Amino acid sequence: MRVSGLTVRHRRTTALDGVDLDFGLGVHGLLGPNGAGKTSLVRVLATVAEPTAGRVELLGNDLRGHRERGAVRRELGYLPQDFGYYPGFTVREFVAYVAWLKELPGAGTDAAVERAVARVGLADRIDAKVKTLSGGMIRRVGIAQAIVNDPRLLLLDEPTAGLDPEQRVEFRALLRELGRTATVIVSTHLVEDVAAACTEVTLLEAGQVAYRGTPGSLAALGADGHESDGNAVERGYITALRGHRTATGAGR
């Protein structure tokens, strides 16, 4: 998948400014401060927002066509920061509803739902109403609905919000598993999640690509930096961000 010259404007604010990126199989982390453009990029890739300018190609489809957008939606999974759900539904009913929206074959829906729910560790709560679950459990329901169709493209915006440390470790393992056969893009503020699960890192700043590389190369950048706090990847994040700001004159 590829975006070329991607620009997104919200009234007078430019969220993305001529971004060029491509993503292959694996787990790709999107990092950046608040307002960097991460959510705007994910929303465009999820086909829920249209770019102001530029070209988007997903799974061999140019998103300028209505039919192409429909084809992509059946093949992707998406978890926004705040996802809507029906609190009166059980977990099974809600994930099955999303499977129906994705046009999964009816004969395989039950098994797909049970597998998705089990993968996020909620098999014992599959028939509980969503409104009875904790915030972390609801977040895991969101992940389950995103993966129920075994998507070729999986987009996750702050997926570990509300998860406890043990659940985050389990989620990272799930990400690595999913990344073997799909393109997974994870937008997060948690640098440690990127370091543990991602094969590639993209750092956005003020709507531009400030850095791109592997978690290892970002850690190496941190090892060469002057920051003393945090781990090497966190120091690399700060070093890359400051380097981009210096190069572009941002903040002057």
Side-chain angles (χ1 to χ4, degrees), residues 76-80 83-85 91 94-99 101-102 104 112-113 116-117 120 138-151 154-156:
L76 67 77
Y78 174 43
L79 174 65
F83 80 98
Y85 59 90
V91 174
F94 177 68
V95 178
Y97 172 65
V98 175
L101 292 176
K102 298 290 185 183
L104 262 67
V113 169
V117 173
V120 300
I138 291 173
R139 201 66 184 159
R140 284 190 277 163
V141 173
I143 297 168
Q145 63 81 29
I147 65 174
V148 68
N149 59 327
D150 288 325
L154 178 60
L155 305 164
L156 303 169

PDB file of all heavy atoms in Angstrom, residues 76-80 83-85 91 94-99 101-102 104 112-113 116-117 120 138-151 154-156:
ATOM      1  N   LEU A  76     -10.202  -4.807   5.235  1.00  0.00           N
ATOM      2  CA  LEU A  76      -9.441  -4.136   6.296  1.00  0.00           C
ATOM      3  C   LEU A  76     -10.139  -4.259   7.638  1.00  0.00           C
ATOM      4  O   LEU A  76     -11.336  -4.545   7.731  1.00  0.00           O
ATOM      5  CB  LEU A  76      -9.175  -2.666   5.945  1.00  0.00           C
ATOM      6  CG  LEU A  76     -10.298  -1.636   5.852  1.00  0.00           C
ATOM      7  CD1 LEU A  76     -10.776  -1.175   7.220  1.00  0.00           C
ATOM      8  CD2 LEU A  76      -9.833  -0.417   5.058  1.00  0.00           C
ATOM      9  N   GLY A  77      -9.365  -4.038   8.691  1.00  0.00           N
ATOM     10  CA  GLY A  77      -9.886  -3.956  10.046  1.00  0.00           C
ATOM     11  C   GLY A  77      -9.461  -2.623  10.627  1.00  0.00           C
ATOM     12  O   GLY A  77      -8.361  -2.150  10.357  1.00  0.00           O
ATOM     13  N   TYR A  78     -10.327  -2.020  11.434  1.00  0.00           N
ATOM     14  CA  TYR A  78     -10.052  -0.669  11.918  1.00  0.00           C
ATOM     15  C   TYR A  78     -10.548  -0.511  13.352  1.00  0.00           C
ATOM     16  O   TYR A  78     -11.699  -0.823  13.658  1.00  0.00           O
ATOM     17  CB  TYR A  78     -10.759   0.336  11.003  1.00  0.00           C
ATOM     18  CG  TYR A  78     -10.691   1.784  11.436  1.00  0.00           C
ATOM     19  CD1 TYR A  78      -9.507   2.362  11.915  1.00  0.00           C
ATOM     20  CD2 TYR A  78     -11.826   2.593  11.352  1.00  0.00           C
ATOM     21  CE1 TYR A  78      -9.463   3.690  12.300  1.00  0.00           C
ATOM     22  CE2 TYR A  78     -11.784   3.937  11.733  1.00  0.00           C
ATOM     23  CZ  TYR A  78     -10.606   4.477  12.201  1.00  0.00           C
ATOM     24  OH  TYR A  78     -10.559   5.799  12.574  1.00  0.00           O
ATOM     25  N   LEU A  79      -9.673  -0.029  14.191  1.00  0.00           N
ATOM     26  CA  LEU A  79     -10.035   0.331  15.561  1.00  0.00           C
ATOM     27  C   LEU A  79      -9.682   1.796  15.768  1.00  0.00           C
ATOM     28  O   LEU A  79      -8.504   2.144  15.888  1.00  0.00           O
ATOM     29  CB  LEU A  79      -9.290  -0.532  16.581  1.00  0.00           C
ATOM     30  CG  LEU A  79      -9.500  -0.129  18.049  1.00  0.00           C
ATOM     31  CD1 LEU A  79     -10.951  -0.329  18.459  1.00  0.00           C
ATOM     32  CD2 LEU A  79      -8.563  -0.904  18.969  1.00  0.00           C
ATOM     33  N   PRO A  80     -10.667   2.692  15.806  1.00  0.00           N
ATOM     34  CA  PRO A  80     -10.386   4.103  16.077  1.00  0.00           C
ATOM     35  C   PRO A  80     -10.107   4.331  17.557  1.00  0.00           C
ATOM     36  O   PRO A  80     -10.290   3.431  18.389  1.00  0.00           O
ATOM     37  CB  PRO A  80     -11.670   4.807  15.635  1.00  0.00           C
ATOM     38  CG  PRO A  80     -12.732   3.779  15.802  1.00  0.00           C
ATOM     39  CD  PRO A  80     -12.087   2.443  15.535  1.00  0.00           C
ATOM     40  N   PHE A  83     -14.215   3.970  19.618  1.00  0.00           N
ATOM     41  CA  PHE A  83     -15.051   3.209  18.704  1.00  0.00           C
ATOM     42  C   PHE A  83     -16.460   3.077  19.271  1.00  0.00           C
ATOM     43  O   PHE A  83     -16.666   2.967  20.479  1.00  0.00           O
ATOM     44  CB  PHE A  83     -14.436   1.838  18.393  1.00  0.00           C
ATOM     45  CG  PHE A  83     -14.649   0.786  19.440  1.00  0.00           C
ATOM     46  CD1 PHE A  83     -15.664  -0.150  19.302  1.00  0.00           C
ATOM     47  CD2 PHE A  83     -13.820   0.709  20.546  1.00  0.00           C
ATOM     48  CE1 PHE A  83     -15.862  -1.136  20.254  1.00  0.00           C
ATOM     49  CE2 PHE A  83     -14.008  -0.272  21.505  1.00  0.00           C
ATOM     50  CZ  PHE A  83     -15.029  -1.194  21.357  1.00  0.00           C
ATOM     51  N   GLY A  84     -17.436   3.124  18.374  1.00  0.00           N
ATOM     52  CA  GLY A  84     -18.826   3.010  18.790  1.00  0.00           C
ATOM     53  C   GLY A  84     -19.243   1.556  18.929  1.00  0.00           C
ATOM     54  O   GLY A  84     -18.798   0.694  18.171  1.00  0.00           O
ATOM     55  N   TYR A  85     -20.078   1.297  19.911  1.00  0.00           N
ATOM     56  CA  TYR A  85     -20.586  -0.063  20.105  1.00  0.00           C
ATOM     57  C   TYR A  85     -21.974   0.024  20.724  1.00  0.00           C
ATOM     58  O   TYR A  85     -22.397   1.075  21.228  1.00  0.00           O
ATOM     59  CB  TYR A  85     -19.652  -0.878  21.010  1.00  0.00           C
ATOM     60  CG  TYR A  85     -19.445  -0.273  22.378  1.00  0.00           C
ATOM     61  CD1 TYR A  85     -20.278  -0.589  23.451  1.00  0.00           C
ATOM     62  CD2 TYR A  85     -18.405   0.624  22.604  1.00  0.00           C
ATOM     63  CE1 TYR A  85     -20.107  -0.036  24.698  1.00  0.00           C
ATOM     64  CE2 TYR A  85     -18.218   1.195  23.859  1.00  0.00           C
ATOM     65  CZ  TYR A  85     -19.060   0.860  24.895  1.00  0.00           C
ATOM     66  OH  TYR A  85     -18.879   1.431  26.134  1.00  0.00           O
ATOM     67  N   VAL A  91     -20.822  -9.528  23.677  1.00  0.00           N
ATOM     68  CA  VAL A  91     -19.578  -9.486  22.896  1.00  0.00           C
ATOM     69  C   VAL A  91     -19.752 -10.270  21.598  1.00  0.00           C
ATOM     70  O   VAL A  91     -19.374  -9.812  20.515  1.00  0.00           O
ATOM     71  CB  VAL A  91     -18.406 -10.064  23.722  1.00  0.00           C
ATOM     72  CG1 VAL A  91     -17.147 -10.164  22.863  1.00  0.00           C
ATOM     73  CG2 VAL A  91     -18.158  -9.208  24.960  1.00  0.00           C
ATOM     74  N   PHE A  94     -21.969  -8.307  19.106  1.00  0.00           N
ATOM     75  CA  PHE A  94     -21.338  -7.132  18.527  1.00  0.00           C
ATOM     76  C   PHE A  94     -20.296  -7.521  17.486  1.00  0.00           C
ATOM     77  O   PHE A  94     -20.253  -6.956  16.381  1.00  0.00           O
ATOM     78  CB  PHE A  94     -20.688  -6.269  19.611  1.00  0.00           C
ATOM     79  CG  PHE A  94     -19.962  -5.081  19.051  1.00  0.00           C
ATOM     80  CD1 PHE A  94     -20.656  -4.043  18.440  1.00  0.00           C
ATOM     81  CD2 PHE A  94     -18.574  -5.020  19.094  1.00  0.00           C
ATOM     82  CE1 PHE A  94     -19.980  -2.958  17.898  1.00  0.00           C
ATOM     83  CE2 PHE A  94     -17.898  -3.939  18.550  1.00  0.00           C
ATOM     84  CZ  PHE A  94     -18.598  -2.898  17.957  1.00  0.00           C
ATOM     85  N   VAL A  95     -19.438  -8.471  17.816  1.00  0.00           N
ATOM     86  CA  VAL A  95     -18.395  -8.878  16.859  1.00  0.00           C
ATOM     87  C   VAL A  95     -19.033  -9.542  15.642  1.00  0.00           C
ATOM     88  O   VAL A  95     -18.582  -9.360  14.506  1.00  0.00           O
ATOM     89  CB  VAL A  95     -17.360  -9.799  17.540  1.00  0.00           C
ATOM     90  CG1 VAL A  95     -16.298 -10.257  16.545  1.00  0.00           C
ATOM     91  CG2 VAL A  95     -16.687  -9.067  18.707  1.00  0.00           C
ATOM     92  N   ALA A  96     -20.126 -10.289  15.844  1.00  0.00           N
ATOM     93  CA  ALA A  96     -20.843 -10.903  14.720  1.00  0.00           C
ATOM     94  C   ALA A  96     -21.464  -9.832  13.825  1.00  0.00           C
ATOM     95  O   ALA A  96     -21.510  -9.981  12.592  1.00  0.00           O
ATOM     96  CB  ALA A  96     -21.923 -11.849  15.237  1.00  0.00           C
ATOM     97  N   TYR A  97     -21.948  -8.761  14.429  1.00  0.00           N
ATOM     98  CA  TYR A  97     -22.526  -7.657  13.649  1.00  0.00           C
ATOM     99  C   TYR A  97     -21.461  -7.043  12.739  1.00  0.00           C
ATOM    100  O   TYR A  97     -21.712  -6.785  11.551  1.00  0.00           O
ATOM    101  CB  TYR A  97     -23.093  -6.610  14.593  1.00  0.00           C
ATOM    102  CG  TYR A  97     -23.533  -5.337  13.910  1.00  0.00           C
ATOM    103  CD1 TYR A  97     -24.589  -5.334  13.002  1.00  0.00           C
ATOM    104  CD2 TYR A  97     -22.882  -4.135  14.181  1.00  0.00           C
ATOM    105  CE1 TYR A  97     -24.991  -4.156  12.368  1.00  0.00           C
ATOM    106  CE2 TYR A  97     -23.281  -2.964  13.558  1.00  0.00           C
ATOM    107  CZ  TYR A  97     -24.327  -2.982  12.649  1.00  0.00           C
ATOM    108  OH  TYR A  97     -24.716  -1.814  12.025  1.00  0.00           O
ATOM    109  N   VAL A  98     -20.263  -6.833  13.276  1.00  0.00           N
ATOM    110  CA  VAL A  98     -19.178  -6.288  12.449  1.00  0.00           C
ATOM    111  C   VAL A  98     -18.795  -7.277  11.354  1.00  0.00           C
ATOM    112  O   VAL A  98     -18.534  -6.887  10.214  1.00  0.00           O
ATOM    113  CB  VAL A  98     -17.961  -5.930  13.325  1.00  0.00           C
ATOM    114  CG1 VAL A  98     -16.795  -5.478  12.460  1.00  0.00           C
ATOM    115  CG2 VAL A  98     -18.327  -4.842  14.334  1.00  0.00           C
ATOM    116  N   ALA A  99     -18.793  -8.564  11.682  1.00  0.00           N
ATOM    117  CA  ALA A  99     -18.517  -9.583  10.659  1.00  0.00           C
ATOM    118  C   ALA A  99     -19.538  -9.500   9.531  1.00  0.00           C
ATOM    119  O   ALA A  99     -19.194  -9.649   8.344  1.00  0.00           O
ATOM    120  CB  ALA A  99     -18.527 -10.970  11.294  1.00  0.00           C
ATOM    121  N   LEU A 101     -21.182  -6.777   8.636  1.00  0.00           N
ATOM    122  CA  LEU A 101     -20.859  -5.569   7.880  1.00  0.00           C
ATOM    123  C   LEU A 101     -19.717  -5.817   6.903  1.00  0.00           C
ATOM    124  O   LEU A 101     -19.676  -5.229   5.808  1.00  0.00           O
ATOM    125  CB  LEU A 101     -20.482  -4.435   8.834  1.00  0.00           C
ATOM    126  CG  LEU A 101     -21.586  -3.857   9.722  1.00  0.00           C
ATOM    127  CD1 LEU A 101     -21.012  -2.810  10.665  1.00  0.00           C
ATOM    128  CD2 LEU A 101     -22.703  -3.254   8.870  1.00  0.00           C
ATOM    129  N   LYS A 102     -18.792  -6.687   7.297  1.00  0.00           N
ATOM    130  CA  LYS A 102     -17.653  -7.011   6.436  1.00  0.00           C
ATOM    131  C   LYS A 102     -18.002  -8.057   5.378  1.00  0.00           C
ATOM    132  O   LYS A 102     -17.161  -8.450   4.589  1.00  0.00           O
ATOM    133  CB  LYS A 102     -16.493  -7.547   7.288  1.00  0.00           C
ATOM    134  CG  LYS A 102     -15.955  -6.564   8.309  1.00  0.00           C
ATOM    135  CD  LYS A 102     -15.210  -5.423   7.663  1.00  0.00           C
ATOM    136  CE  LYS A 102     -14.583  -4.519   8.708  1.00  0.00           C
ATOM    137  NZ  LYS A 102     -13.908  -3.359   8.086  1.00  0.00           N
ATOM    138  N   LEU A 104     -18.719 -11.232   5.730  1.00  0.00           N
ATOM    139  CA  LEU A 104     -18.164 -12.569   5.894  1.00  0.00           C
ATOM    140  C   LEU A 104     -19.215 -13.607   5.519  1.00  0.00           C
ATOM    141  O   LEU A 104     -20.397 -13.423   5.802  1.00  0.00           O
ATOM    142  CB  LEU A 104     -17.734 -12.808   7.346  1.00  0.00           C
ATOM    143  CG  LEU A 104     -16.251 -12.604   7.668  1.00  0.00           C
ATOM    144  CD1 LEU A 104     -15.874 -11.139   7.523  1.00  0.00           C
ATOM    145  CD2 LEU A 104     -15.955 -13.109   9.078  1.00  0.00           C
ATOM    146  N   ALA A 112     -15.472 -17.561  13.125  1.00  0.00           N
ATOM    147  CA  ALA A 112     -14.615 -16.375  13.026  1.00  0.00           C
ATOM    148  C   ALA A 112     -14.774 -15.493  14.259  1.00  0.00           C
ATOM    149  O   ALA A 112     -13.789 -14.965  14.791  1.00  0.00           O
ATOM    150  CB  ALA A 112     -14.956 -15.588  11.759  1.00  0.00           C
ATOM    151  N   VAL A 113     -16.010 -15.339  14.725  1.00  0.00           N
ATOM    152  CA  VAL A 113     -16.271 -14.527  15.915  1.00  0.00           C
ATOM    153  C   VAL A 113     -15.606 -15.144  17.135  1.00  0.00           C
ATOM    154  O   VAL A 113     -14.925 -14.461  17.917  1.00  0.00           O
ATOM    155  CB  VAL A 113     -17.786 -14.373  16.132  1.00  0.00           C
ATOM    156  CG1 VAL A 113     -18.082 -13.777  17.505  1.00  0.00           C
ATOM    157  CG2 VAL A 113     -18.397 -13.505  15.036  1.00  0.00           C
ATOM    158  N   ALA A 116     -11.799 -14.708  16.986  1.00  0.00           N
ATOM    159  CA  ALA A 116     -11.350 -13.334  17.233  1.00  0.00           C
ATOM    160  C   ALA A 116     -11.439 -12.995  18.717  1.00  0.00           C
ATOM    161  O   ALA A 116     -10.524 -12.384  19.284  1.00  0.00           O
ATOM    162  CB  ALA A 116     -12.182 -12.354  16.408  1.00  0.00           C
ATOM    163  N   VAL A 117     -12.539 -13.390  19.344  1.00  0.00           N
ATOM    164  CA  VAL A 117     -12.722 -13.097  20.768  1.00  0.00           C
ATOM    165  C   VAL A 117     -11.701 -13.862  21.611  1.00  0.00           C
ATOM    166  O   VAL A 117     -11.151 -13.323  22.590  1.00  0.00           O
ATOM    167  CB  VAL A 117     -14.164 -13.426  21.199  1.00  0.00           C
ATOM    168  CG1 VAL A 117     -14.330 -13.291  22.712  1.00  0.00           C
ATOM    169  CG2 VAL A 117     -15.152 -12.506  20.482  1.00  0.00           C
ATOM    170  N   VAL A 120      -8.165 -12.261  21.777  1.00  0.00           N
ATOM    171  CA  VAL A 120      -7.968 -11.109  22.659  1.00  0.00           C
ATOM    172  C   VAL A 120      -8.234 -11.464  24.121  1.00  0.00           C
ATOM    173  O   VAL A 120      -8.320 -10.589  24.983  1.00  0.00           O
ATOM    174  CB  VAL A 120      -8.850  -9.908  22.232  1.00  0.00           C
ATOM    175  CG1 VAL A 120      -8.500  -9.491  20.820  1.00  0.00           C
ATOM    176  CG2 VAL A 120     -10.336 -10.221  22.349  1.00  0.00           C
ATOM    177  N   ILE A 138     -13.434  -3.653  27.100  1.00  0.00           N
ATOM    178  CA  ILE A 138     -14.101  -3.056  25.940  1.00  0.00           C
ATOM    179  C   ILE A 138     -13.079  -2.747  24.841  1.00  0.00           C
ATOM    180  O   ILE A 138     -13.374  -2.940  23.646  1.00  0.00           O
ATOM    181  CB  ILE A 138     -14.861  -1.782  26.358  1.00  0.00           C
ATOM    182  CG1 ILE A 138     -16.065  -2.161  27.238  1.00  0.00           C
ATOM    183  CG2 ILE A 138     -15.329  -0.994  25.138  1.00  0.00           C
ATOM    184  CD1 ILE A 138     -16.795  -0.979  27.839  1.00  0.00           C
ATOM    185  N   ARG A 139     -11.907  -2.314  25.253  1.00  0.00           N
ATOM    186  CA  ARG A 139     -10.858  -2.065  24.251  1.00  0.00           C
ATOM    187  C   ARG A 139     -10.493  -3.362  23.535  1.00  0.00           C
ATOM    188  O   ARG A 139     -10.261  -3.384  22.335  1.00  0.00           O
ATOM    189  CB  ARG A 139      -9.622  -1.473  24.929  1.00  0.00           C
ATOM    190  CG  ARG A 139      -8.700  -0.719  23.975  1.00  0.00           C
ATOM    191  CD  ARG A 139      -9.380   0.499  23.461  1.00  0.00           C
ATOM    192  NE  ARG A 139      -8.569   1.201  22.467  1.00  0.00           N
ATOM    193  CZ  ARG A 139      -9.071   2.044  21.585  1.00  0.00           C
ATOM    194  NH1 ARG A 139     -10.358   2.279  21.562  1.00  0.00           N
ATOM    195  NH2 ARG A 139      -8.305   2.658  20.727  1.00  0.00           N
ATOM    196  N   ARG A 140     -10.465  -4.460  24.270  1.00  0.00           N
ATOM    197  CA  ARG A 140     -10.155  -5.750  23.647  1.00  0.00           C
ATOM    198  C   ARG A 140     -11.284  -6.207  22.719  1.00  0.00           C
ATOM    199  O   ARG A 140     -11.022  -6.846  21.704  1.00  0.00           O
ATOM    200  CB  ARG A 140      -9.868  -6.798  24.723  1.00  0.00           C
ATOM    201  CG  ARG A 140      -8.481  -6.626  25.352  1.00  0.00           C
ATOM    202  CD  ARG A 140      -8.133  -7.796  26.227  1.00  0.00           C
ATOM    203  NE  ARG A 140      -8.700  -7.671  27.556  1.00  0.00           N
ATOM    204  CZ  ARG A 140      -8.826  -8.673  28.420  1.00  0.00           C
ATOM    205  NH1 ARG A 140      -8.461  -9.895  28.075  1.00  0.00           N
ATOM    206  NH2 ARG A 140      -9.333  -8.470  29.621  1.00  0.00           N
ATOM    207  N   VAL A 141     -12.532  -5.857  23.062  1.00  0.00           N
ATOM    208  CA  VAL A 141     -13.641  -6.130  22.142  1.00  0.00           C
ATOM    209  C   VAL A 141     -13.411  -5.358  20.837  1.00  0.00           C
ATOM    210  O   VAL A 141     -13.660  -5.868  19.739  1.00  0.00           O
ATOM    211  CB  VAL A 141     -14.994  -5.741  22.768  1.00  0.00           C
ATOM    212  CG1 VAL A 141     -16.114  -5.863  21.741  1.00  0.00           C
ATOM    213  CG2 VAL A 141     -15.294  -6.618  23.968  1.00  0.00           C
ATOM    214  N   GLY A 142     -12.921  -4.119  20.970  1.00  0.00           N
ATOM    215  CA  GLY A 142     -12.613  -3.319  19.782  1.00  0.00           C
ATOM    216  C   GLY A 142     -11.562  -3.975  18.909  1.00  0.00           C
ATOM    217  O   GLY A 142     -11.652  -3.960  17.674  1.00  0.00           O
ATOM    218  N   ILE A 143     -10.566  -4.560  19.532  1.00  0.00           N
ATOM    219  CA  ILE A 143      -9.527  -5.263  18.764  1.00  0.00           C
ATOM    220  C   ILE A 143     -10.124  -6.495  18.096  1.00  0.00           C
ATOM    221  O   ILE A 143      -9.829  -6.803  16.930  1.00  0.00           O
ATOM    222  CB  ILE A 143      -8.349  -5.638  19.681  1.00  0.00           C
ATOM    223  CG1 ILE A 143      -7.686  -4.367  20.235  1.00  0.00           C
ATOM    224  CG2 ILE A 143      -7.327  -6.482  18.920  1.00  0.00           C
ATOM    225  CD1 ILE A 143      -6.718  -4.620  21.371  1.00  0.00           C
ATOM    226  N   ALA A 144     -10.997  -7.212  18.821  1.00  0.00           N
ATOM    227  CA  ALA A 144     -11.622  -8.412  18.257  1.00  0.00           C
ATOM    228  C   ALA A 144     -12.438  -8.083  17.018  1.00  0.00           C
ATOM    229  O   ALA A 144     -12.368  -8.794  16.002  1.00  0.00           O
ATOM    230  CB  ALA A 144     -12.504  -9.093  19.302  1.00  0.00           C
ATOM    231  N   GLN A 145     -13.231  -7.006  17.066  1.00  0.00           N
ATOM    232  CA  GLN A 145     -14.035  -6.657  15.886  1.00  0.00           C
ATOM    233  C   GLN A 145     -13.147  -6.237  14.721  1.00  0.00           C
ATOM    234  O   GLN A 145     -13.515  -6.410  13.565  1.00  0.00           O
ATOM    235  CB  GLN A 145     -15.063  -5.576  16.226  1.00  0.00           C
ATOM    236  CG  GLN A 145     -14.516  -4.218  16.659  1.00  0.00           C
ATOM    237  CD  GLN A 145     -14.098  -3.325  15.514  1.00  0.00           C
ATOM    238  OE1 GLN A 145     -14.637  -3.409  14.415  1.00  0.00           O
ATOM    239  NE2 GLN A 145     -13.118  -2.461  15.767  1.00  0.00           N
ATOM    240  N   ALA A 146     -11.972  -5.705  15.022  1.00  0.00           N
ATOM    241  CA  ALA A 146     -11.065  -5.281  13.950  1.00  0.00           C
ATOM    242  C   ALA A 146     -10.402  -6.451  13.238  1.00  0.00           C
ATOM    243  O   ALA A 146     -10.020  -6.337  12.068  1.00  0.00           O
ATOM    244  CB  ALA A 146      -9.998  -4.337  14.510  1.00  0.00           C
ATOM    245  N   ILE A 147     -10.270  -7.583  13.932  1.00  0.00           N
ATOM    246  CA  ILE A 147      -9.560  -8.717  13.334  1.00  0.00           C
ATOM    247  C   ILE A 147     -10.483  -9.863  12.940  1.00  0.00           C
ATOM    248  O   ILE A 147     -10.015 -10.896  12.459  1.00  0.00           O
ATOM    249  CB  ILE A 147      -8.466  -9.253  14.285  1.00  0.00           C
ATOM    250  CG1 ILE A 147      -9.071  -9.832  15.567  1.00  0.00           C
ATOM    251  CG2 ILE A 147      -7.455  -8.161  14.613  1.00  0.00           C
ATOM    252  CD1 ILE A 147      -8.049 -10.509  16.488  1.00  0.00           C
ATOM    253  N   VAL A 148     -11.802  -9.699  13.124  1.00  0.00           N
ATOM    254  CA  VAL A 148     -12.723 -10.820  12.902  1.00  0.00           C
ATOM    255  C   VAL A 148     -12.695 -11.311  11.461  1.00  0.00           C
ATOM    256  O   VAL A 148     -12.943 -12.506  11.188  1.00  0.00           O
ATOM    257  CB  VAL A 148     -14.157 -10.436  13.315  1.00  0.00           C
ATOM    258  CG1 VAL A 148     -14.747  -9.374  12.392  1.00  0.00           C
ATOM    259  CG2 VAL A 148     -15.067 -11.664  13.364  1.00  0.00           C
ATOM    260  N   ASN A 149     -12.381 -10.436  10.514  1.00  0.00           N
ATOM    261  CA  ASN A 149     -12.368 -10.824   9.100  1.00  0.00           C
ATOM    262  C   ASN A 149     -10.978 -11.196   8.601  1.00  0.00           C
ATOM    263  O   ASN A 149     -10.748 -11.264   7.396  1.00  0.00           O
ATOM    264  CB  ASN A 149     -12.938  -9.694   8.240  1.00  0.00           C
ATOM    265  CG  ASN A 149     -12.158  -8.395   8.378  1.00  0.00           C
ATOM    266  OD1 ASN A 149     -11.619  -8.102   9.454  1.00  0.00           O
ATOM    267  ND2 ASN A 149     -12.102  -7.608   7.328  1.00  0.00           N
ATOM    268  N   ASP A 150     -10.033 -11.446   9.535  1.00  0.00           N
ATOM    269  CA  ASP A 150      -8.649 -11.750   9.156  1.00  0.00           C
ATOM    270  C   ASP A 150      -8.174 -10.744   8.098  1.00  0.00           C
ATOM    271  O   ASP A 150      -7.826 -11.114   6.973  1.00  0.00           O
ATOM    272  CB  ASP A 150      -8.519 -13.177   8.613  1.00  0.00           C
ATOM    273  CG  ASP A 150      -8.646 -14.213   9.704  1.00  0.00           C
ATOM    274  OD1 ASP A 150      -8.180 -13.948  10.840  1.00  0.00           O
ATOM    275  OD2 ASP A 150      -9.235 -15.280   9.444  1.00  0.00           O
ATOM    276  N   PRO A 151      -8.142  -9.457   8.461  1.00  0.00           N
ATOM    277  CA  PRO A 151      -7.889  -8.417   7.465  1.00  0.00           C
ATOM    278  C   PRO A 151      -6.487  -8.482   6.878  1.00  0.00           C
ATOM    279  O   PRO A 151      -5.526  -8.869   7.546  1.00  0.00           O
ATOM    280  CB  PRO A 151      -8.075  -7.119   8.263  1.00  0.00           C
ATOM    281  CG  PRO A 151      -7.763  -7.502   9.678  1.00  0.00           C
ATOM    282  CD  PRO A 151      -8.282  -8.898   9.825  1.00  0.00           C
ATOM    283  N   LEU A 154      -4.691  -3.929   8.686  1.00  0.00           N
ATOM    284  CA  LEU A 154      -5.242  -3.706  10.021  1.00  0.00           C
ATOM    285  C   LEU A 154      -4.739  -2.365  10.536  1.00  0.00           C
ATOM    286  O   LEU A 154      -3.531  -2.117  10.597  1.00  0.00           O
ATOM    287  CB  LEU A 154      -4.811  -4.836  10.958  1.00  0.00           C
ATOM    288  CG  LEU A 154      -5.258  -4.738  12.417  1.00  0.00           C
ATOM    289  CD1 LEU A 154      -6.783  -4.717  12.522  1.00  0.00           C
ATOM    290  CD2 LEU A 154      -4.677  -5.907  13.226  1.00  0.00           C
ATOM    291  N   LEU A 155      -5.677  -1.485  10.912  1.00  0.00           N
ATOM    292  CA  LEU A 155      -5.365  -0.128  11.358  1.00  0.00           C
ATOM    293  C   LEU A 155      -5.835   0.032  12.796  1.00  0.00           C
ATOM    294  O   LEU A 155      -7.019  -0.107  13.089  1.00  0.00           O
ATOM    295  CB  LEU A 155      -6.070   0.896  10.463  1.00  0.00           C
ATOM    296  CG  LEU A 155      -5.778   0.744   8.958  1.00  0.00           C
ATOM    297  CD1 LEU A 155      -6.801   1.521   8.140  1.00  0.00           C
ATOM    298  CD2 LEU A 155      -4.370   1.229   8.644  1.00  0.00           C
ATOM    299  N   LEU A 156      -4.905   0.343  13.686  1.00  0.00           N
ATOM    300  CA  LEU A 156      -5.212   0.419  15.112  1.00  0.00           C
ATOM    301  C   LEU A 156      -4.736   1.761  15.655  1.00  0.00           C
ATOM    302  O   LEU A 156      -3.548   2.076  15.596  1.00  0.00           O
ATOM    303  CB  LEU A 156      -4.516  -0.724  15.861  1.00  0.00           C
ATOM    304  CG  LEU A 156      -4.835  -2.147  15.382  1.00  0.00           C
ATOM    305  CD1 LEU A 156      -3.886  -3.147  16.032  1.00  0.00           C
ATOM    306  CD2 LEU A 156      -6.284  -2.502  15.684  1.00  0.00           C
TER     307      LEU A 156
END
